[in-house]
Amino acid sequence: MRIQAVCGFGCGSSLFLKIKLDEVLQANGLSAEIFCGDVGTCLSQNCDAIFISEELADRVQDRAKVPVVVINNFMNKQEVEEKTLAFFKNQAQEN
């Protein structure tokens, strides 16, 4: 599984989100390749999901061909964990 952590330019808050996602996956025994991307090119990247801020989500949600997980606050560990685990649970049910 490839997850893209997206922010405006692909090098600031997306890196922070990537680190938080890595922590959640490790703590829960899950595995995925997580990489950073920017909102301008994220739809052209090969991935299985896009994790993105609420502020930028409307720029990709209607056009994305993969699930888009909206994170309201990258600093909120509980929110990141809940939404990440819900995404993985949903993926497992679909497969």
Side-chain angles (χ1 to χ4, degrees), residues 5-30:
V6 175
C7 70
F9 295 104
C11 59
S13 55
S14 63
L15 180 58
F16 182 80
L17 179 57
K18 177 191 180 313
I19 292 167
K20 292 296 181 190
L21 291 170
D22 282 332
E23 290 173 357
V24 169
L25 296 182
Q26 184 176 8
N28 290 278
L30 299 169

Side-chain angles (χ1 to χ4, degrees), residues 41-62:
T41 62
C42 68
L43 295 176
S44 66
Q45 301 299 317
N46 181 25
C47 64
D48 299 302
I50 295 171
F51 280 58
I52 192 167
S53 70
E54 181 180 33
E55 296 82 16
L56 298 175
D58 63 338
R59 294 177 59 183
V60 300
Q61 278 182 316
D62 294 340

